[in-house]
Amino acid sequence: MIREVVIIGSGPAGYTAALYSSRAQLDPLVFAGSLSGGQLMLTTDVENYPGFPEGVMGPDLMEYFRKQAERFGAEIVFEDVVEVDFSSQPYRVKSTSQEVEAKTVIISTGASAKLLGLEAESRLMGHGVSTCATCDGFFFRGQEIAIVGGGDSAMEEAIFLTRFADKVTVIHRRDTLRASKIMQQKAFDNPKIEFMWDSAITEVLEKDDKVSGVEVENLKSNEKSTLELTGLFVAIGHIPNTHLFEGKLDLHENGYIKTHDAVKTSVEGIFACGDVQDFTYRQAITAAGSGCMAAMDAERWLETQHS
Ligand code: NAP
């Protein structure tokens, strides 16, 4: 059996693509991955997803996405895709237990925020540690927080976080920033932002299962100090989940999938949506919107093949 649509990935983009393509009666098969749900599974309260005036927990939101897609017949398997072949029609997608043929493939494998790799960092994700200032800044009103990183994201997020926090300390491993000059200047001019140069976070401290501070090592003097705070934002870059597609689709230099006309990739009938092709907005709502576009474009493309 050749599938009309196979979807790889199960964040907001993938499940929205599944919802739209199942309602278009294309019987999509979704490879949700062994760790399904995407980055929202790592968050607690989500207050900026429209339609939830009281907010919603990230994992609950992803369960609603999945159930809604399943209600219209999307078939979801919790397996990782290990190989794809887009060299000729039908395309082939191989998972850990099966190989399927598909006329169209929608890729929504997302991106992963890079982490420092400290044990408490992952455990306290959503309990004081965050990788998304837009999502979580609001929870830190009147508090003292830190952000780690020296790039444009770190500066942009530090500036954004000063809307809520009383003080934002930027902890950076060197004594110069990677961020563009204009972003640097904006951060330097902001009276709520302080910088800790040449510094690495060696431990995330906790009290009552919440972040209470960080241990910081000065990389020049090797001196350690403790900074008390309630929030740590990690902004040291993202890694797109595109290793499967290297050499098979055109990718940007930074590894994200190149798209044109919104969600079309370099291969006809292969679409990409959500964070795997978006390094600008990176929001659940924008990912969901692009998932909808990918499903509609896949449907249109299939129609052109049948006529
Ligand atoms: P980035 O430019 O790669 O910067 C990552 C920062 O994190 C660097 O300062 C790096 O330090 C630091 N870092 C990396 N790994 C680390 C580790 N293990 N421990 C401690 N620090 C670590 O990433 P980004 O800021 O997310 O930006 C990605 C791209 O998007 C860039 O091209 C950026 O210009 C663009 N962007 C643009 C805007 C804007 O124009 N408004 C906003 C956001 C992002 P080093 O500097 O020492 O390497």
Side-chain angles (χ1 to χ4, degrees), residues 1-8 14 17-22 24-31 74-75 91 93 100-107 269 271 291 294-302:
M1 167 190 168
I2 300 176
R3 291 274 185 171
E4 300 288 309
V5 179
V6 163
I7 297 167
I8 310 174
L19 170 65
Y20 273 75
S21 48
S22 55
Q25 303 201 317
L26 296 171
D27 301 323
L29 171 67
V30 183
F31 284 107
E75 184 184 343
Y91 301 130
V93 178
V100 295
E101 293 184 320
K103 293 180 191 166
T104 66
V105 178
I106 296 176
I107 299 167
F271 303 87
M296 292 177 77
D297 280 356
E299 186 186 354
R300 284 186 191 133
W301 189 83
L302 286 165

Side-chain angles (χ1 to χ4, degrees), residues 283-305:
Q283 299 299 299
I285 185 68
T286 49
S290 72
C292 161
M293 291 183 217
M296 292 177 77
D297 280 356
E299 186 186 354
R300 284 186 191 133
W301 189 83
L302 286 165
E303 274 165 16
T304 64
Q305 303 301 299

Side-chain angles (χ1 to χ4, degrees), residues 48-305:
N48 58 2
Y49 199 86
F52 295 88
E54 305 303 326
V56 57
M57 298 300 273
D60 291 347
L61 180 59
M62 292 325 299
E63 193 185 330
Y64 303 150
F65 266 79
R66 176 179 55 75
K67 284 185 173 161
Q68 196 173 355
E70 280 177 332
R71 180 176 154 217
F72 296 101
E75 184 184 343
I76 299 171
V77 291
F78 296 90
E79 291 170 13
D80 290 319
V81 168
V82 293
E83 204 180 324
V84 294
D85 181 353
F86 299 154
S87 59
S88 59
Q89 272 281 2
Y91 301 130
R92 283 191 295 283
V93 178
K94 193 173 162 191
S95 76
T96 39
S97 77
Q98 57 184 306
E99 180 164 339
V100 295
E101 293 184 320
K103 293 180 191 166
T104 66
V105 178
I106 296 176
I107 299 167
S108 52
T109 45
S112 308
K114 271 176 66 182
L115 295 177
L116 297 168
L118 302 167
E119 186 270 328
E121 178 190 31
S122 313
R123 198 158 31 79
L124 294 172
M125 193 62 71
H127 300 274
V129 178
S130 171
T131 54
C132 179
T134 315
C135 318
D136 298 330
F138 194 72
F139 301 119
F140 295 90
R141 278 175 307 243
Q143 300 178 35
E144 296 198 359
I145 60 178
I147 185 155
V148 55
D152 278 323
S153 296
M155 293 313 108
E156 193 171 70
E157 297 194 1
I159 294 161
F160 176 76
L161 288 166
T162 60
R163 292 189 199 179
F164 314 102
D166 279 354
K167 183 176 153 193
V168 179
T169 305
V170 175
I171 301 172
H172 183 40
R173 62 185 178 183
R174 294 186 296 129
D175 62 1
T176 49
L177 295 170
R178 179 176 295 280
S180 54
K181 287 282 177 275
I182 187 160
M183 294 297 285
Q184 294 194 21
Q185 202 52 53
K186 279 187 187 166
F188 291 148
D189 290 345
N190 191 310
K192 283 188 175 180
I193 298 179
E194 284 185 13
F195 287 84
M196 258 182 127
W197 303 107
D198 300 307
S199 297
I201 296 176
T202 44
E203 218 164 310
V204 182
L205 309 171
E206 65 181 288
K207 194 175 173 204
D208 301 330
D209 299 324
K210 287 191 177 137
V211 170
S212 63
V214 287
E215 184 189 77
V216 181
E217 180 179 352
N218 183 297
L219 297 170
K220 287 199 169 146
S221 66
N222 295 115
E223 261 174 45
K224 286 199 173 175
S225 59
T226 300
L227 195 63
E228 280 183 22
L229 41 80
T230 49
L232 173 65
F233 286 80
V234 183
I236 60 173
H238 284 76
I239 303 169
N241 300 318
T242 49
H243 58 280
L244 281 176
F245 313 112
E246 283 166 13
K248 297 175 182 181
L249 294 175
D250 286 353
L251 305 181
H252 287 283
E253 248 176 43
N254 60 9
Y256 287 77
I257 295 178
K258 267 190 189 171
T259 49
H260 63 94
D261 300 318
V263 291
K264 294 177 184 162
T265 71
S266 52
V267 176
E268 273 208 16
I270 309 282
F271 303 87
C273 51
D275 286 14
V276 74
Q277 50 87 53
D278 168 23
F279 42 89
T280 307
Y281 300 103
R282 297 182 172 133
Q283 299 299 299
I285 185 68
T286 49
S290 72
C292 161
M293 291 183 217
M296 292 177 77
D297 280 356
E299 186 186 354
R300 284 186 191 133
W301 189 83
L302 286 165
E303 274 165 16
T304 64
Q305 303 301 299

